[in-house]
Amino acid sequence: MGYSIGVFEIGDAFVMTTKQKKKKTKLSMGMGDEGSGYGLDEGLCAIGFGRFQVIVLAYSGLGWVAEAMEMMLLSFVGPAIQPEWGLSATEESLISTVAFAGMLVGAYSWGVVSDTYGRKKGFLGSAIITSIAGFLSAFAPNYVSLLILRCFVGVGLGCGHVYTSWFLEFVPVPNRGAWMVVFSTFWTVGTIMEASLAWWIMPTYGWRWLLGLSAVPSVMALLFYGLVPESPRYLCTQGRLAEARRILENGSALNQKELPVGLLVSDHITTLTNENESSESTVLLSSMGSKTSSSQRSSSSILMLLSPKLIRTTLLLWFLYFANTFSYYGIILLTSQLSVPQSECDSHALRSENIKDPSLYVNVFITSLAELPGLGFAFFILDRVGRKISMEIMLLAGFLLLLPLTVQQNEVMTTGFLFGARMFISASFIVACIYAPEVYPTNLRTTGVGIATAIGRIGGMVCPLIAVGMDSGCHQTLPVILFEVTILLSGLSVVILPFETKGKELSDTVDLPVQLE
């Protein structure tokens, strides 16, 4: 049975009734018989990946470098401040914990802002907060002021996931996974830069210089903010098709490719059901005159994330982000904690000397390099075997490599096992960060990923309390076992994820039953 479509104008929206599921259609937008419209994915595939996307990649990569550097410095600042200010182990761990608490708030908040007002508004707000609070941290006069400022830095850094979604929305479907892995290398670049900077700065100039210099990428993100475009996919969901087309035209000029003939049309479709009607209805919203408050949109987004079609994916992603964050930062903190010789376990007085010991920076630098082969492995298999199988392989490998550290090892073996574990756990985290924005539709993408990231930050908040509380490697068995159990449960959650996104086009909306008035 075919399907017929009737179009009725309602204010600034158009309602299309149908008895079948959503299908892609080419629409004529006031063109008569002179041409047909093309969708956003069709336009992106036509212009390909070129100079236009490289500009987007460079800016989004800068945002990830900024986040990676600010997070990586937590491995060095706490151990440096602890003897200088006479902090307890709990007070030292709180420097990391408050940063994750700020990121928890920021991840959700910037997700809502970006889905409501645009991706670029999120970039602007986060760059301002991160750069100002980051520089002021270098001049913190006492422990309490440092905690407050690092919390604000965390709020700004919470926008990091929006960079992922924004770049994803510019990439054509073919080889999208490979390009997202390339984007993810910027995180690794940031961690290596921070380890190198700490190696150079900390022994001679101290932690204040490290805090100040680590804020430079955030300042650069603020300076170059005006040079990058808004996401055309976001603009399409808002009915701002003319603006989206202008961005595509600029992209086609930069890439020296031609757009399809006709006008850009939106696939922004939502399924509605009416208890008084037996047939399905599909509404094509052009959103030209439709306005909703941010609070209404936020609550509506959460309801959609927990709708029958998405609740399983959403809950599993929440756990996966929590477990991945907990495990990833656990391995980073284990590196600095297990770098202290066993004979110094009970000697807090030696912490100020340990921070000047080159072996600490060498170990952190070496394990930071581990992310490069992990990225190479992800690049090779991601578009071949899919997102889910890739994560399962990486989590299993990370689990096996961390297992020997349940007992004390010599320094070379410890560094080697941490290198391998970080290689695979970081790669699995990167694949999860690619999978989540692919599985969510455009109108929920940054909110959905933002909430998952926020829940992940809870894992980051808990992690320092466990890793730093080991008293420098003297009681490592229980924390390592805890990290192992978390990794194992992560693998099980990946197995039962319902969707594979390899080779799939990004969706703009999710079909959601609602009550018609």
Side-chain angles (χ1 to χ4, degrees):
M1 181 175 65
Y3 78 100
S4 59
I5 301 177
V7 180
F8 309 94
E9 185 172 350
I10 302 179
D12 290 315
F14 294 88
V15 177
M16 306 177 69
T17 61
T18 177
K19 292 186 178 181
Q20 291 189 352
K21 293 287 185 182
K22 166 186 168 183
K23 290 187 178 180
K24 287 188 173 181
T25 59
K26 287 190 174 181
L27 303 178
S28 174
M29 303 288 285
M31 294 179 286
D33 296 327
E34 298 179 2
S36 61
Y38 63 89
L40 184 59
D41 283 304
E42 186 181 355
L44 288 172
C45 287
I47 68 175
F49 196 102
R51 293 174 59 191
F52 178 58
Q53 281 86 359
V54 169
I55 293 172
V56 176
L57 174 63
Y59 186 79
S60 56
L62 179 62
W64 258 39
V65 166
E67 180 178 355
M69 290 183 67
E70 291 285 2
M71 295 309 299
M72 191 67 186
L73 67 81
L74 298 175
S75 298
F76 308 106
V77 170
I81 293 176
Q82 190 270 338
E84 182 177 330
W85 286 355
L87 305 180
S88 66
T90 302
E91 289 172 327
E92 176 189 341
S93 66
L94 278 177
I95 299 173
S96 298
T97 299
V98 296
F100 282 107
M103 293 180 77
L104 187 155
V105 174
Y108 172 73
S109 301
W110 296 124
V112 173
V113 167
S114 299
D115 273 341
T116 306
Y117 302 107
R119 308 329 189 203
K120 287 189 66 177
K121 292 294 190 298
F123 298 157
L124 178 61
S126 68
I128 291 173
I129 292 174
T130 306
S131 56
I132 292 175
F135 270 121
L136 290 178
S137 296
F139 303 96
N142 52 53
Y143 175 70
V144 174
S145 62
L146 180 66
L147 288 182
I148 294 171
L149 288 169
R150 295 316 296 177
C151 183
F152 274 106
V153 169
V155 172
L157 295 178
C159 191
H161 67 89
V162 181
Y163 288 101
T164 307
S165 298
W166 179 66
F167 175 66
L168 182 74
E169 291 169 350
F170 284 90
V171 181
V173 174
N175 299 319
R176 185 176 63 214
W179 279 113
M180 290 305 296
V181 173
V182 171
F183 161 74
S184 300
T185 60
F186 284 93
W187 177 275
T188 302
V189 168
T191 62
I192 294 173
M193 286 176 60
E194 188 65 26
S196 304
L197 189 64
W199 194 353
W200 171 46
I201 292 292
M202 289 288 285
T204 305
Y205 301 101
W207 60 270
R208 292 186 185 273
W209 276 92
L210 183 65
L211 285 174
L213 291 173
S214 298
V216 170
S218 296
V219 176
M220 293 175 63
L222 186 59
L223 294 176
F224 292 116
Y225 162 80
L227 301 180
V228 294
E230 180 57 88
S231 164
R233 193 173 293 274
Y234 164 79
L235 292 172
C236 284
T237 64
Q238 301 301 302
R240 296 156 63 179
L241 300 180
E243 296 176 56
R245 178 176 170 83
R246 282 196 295 272
I247 291 171
L248 290 180
E249 288 171 345
N250 292 337
S252 67
L254 283 171
N255 291 357
Q256 298 181 338
K257 297 290 183 66
E258 294 294 330
L259 284 169
V261 177
L263 296 180
L264 176 66
V265 296
S266 174
D267 292 327
H268 189 49
I269 299 175
T270 306
T271 302
L272 303 179
T273 58
N274 189 329
E275 63 182 3
N276 296 324
E277 298 179 359
S278 59
S279 63
E280 288 184 324
S281 298
T282 303
V283 179
L284 177 62
L285 298 172
S286 66
S287 305
M288 299 175 186
S290 170
K291 301 290 182 182
T292 58
S293 69
S294 59
S295 60
Q296 289 174 326
R297 182 172 186 131
S298 174
S299 59
S300 174
S301 296
I302 294 173
L303 289 175
M304 284 191 281
L305 290 171
L306 298 176
S307 67
K309 292 188 176 182
L310 287 178
I311 187 168
R312 180 177 166 187
T313 300
T314 295
L315 294 178
L316 287 171
L317 280 176
W318 285 357
F319 176 77
L320 188 60
Y321 266 67
F322 173 89
N324 265 324
T325 306
F326 180 80
S327 304
Y328 175 76
Y329 288 109
I331 292 172
I332 291 176
L333 291 172
L334 278 175
T335 303
S336 60
Q337 294 298 315
L338 298 183
S339 295
V340 180
Q342 180 71 22
S343 60
E344 298 175 3
C345 286
D346 301 318
S347 179
H348 293 285
L350 294 175
R351 295 299 295 278
S352 59
E353 295 301 321
N354 293 334
I355 203 65
K356 297 179 181 179
D357 187 349
S359 64
L360 169 62
Y361 304 102
V362 171
N363 291 341
V364 173
F365 182 80
I366 290 173
T367 53
S368 296
L369 290 176
E371 297 188 16
L372 291 176
L375 285 166
F377 182 64
F379 183 89
F380 180 75
I381 71 169
L382 192 59
D383 281 324
R384 288 176 170 83
V385 303
R387 285 41 165 165
K388 289 182 59 177
I389 295 178
S390 297
M391 284 189 280
E392 290 163 9
I393 293 171
M394 294 165 184
L395 288 167
L396 177 61
F399 174 86
L400 295 175
L401 285 164
L402 199 59
L403 193 60
L405 294 179
T406 52
V407 296
Q408 188 74 27
Q409 305 286 339
N410 63 48
E411 185 177 349
V412 174
M413 295 293 289
T414 297
T415 302
F417 286 126
L418 287 172
F419 182 97
R422 181 163 174 179
M423 180 177 84
F424 288 108
I425 297 302
S426 65
S428 72
F429 199 176
I430 285 166
V431 177
C433 291
I434 294 171
Y435 175 85
E438 284 182 331
V439 81
Y440 283 128
T442 301
N443 61 340
L444 294 176
R445 184 163 295 124
T446 60
T447 300
V449 179
I451 294 175
T453 304
I455 291 173
R457 298 312 177 194
I458 298 175
M461 292 167 61
V462 175
C463 181
L465 299 175
I466 295 173
V468 177
M470 292 191 307
D471 287 329
S472 302
C474 301
H475 309 290
Q476 71 186 62
T477 301
L478 185 59
V480 172
I481 289 175
L482 184 56
F483 292 137
E484 287 284 75
V485 171
T486 304
I487 293 170
L488 183 61
L489 292 176
S490 297
L492 293 176
S493 69
V494 172
V495 171
I496 58 178
L497 277 169
F499 302 115
E500 173 56 64
T501 58
K502 184 189 78 169
K504 305 294 185 182
E505 291 184 355
L506 298 180
S507 62
D508 284 338
T509 62
V510 59
D511 291 341
L512 180 68
V514 298
Q515 183 73 31
L516 288 176
E517 295 293 331

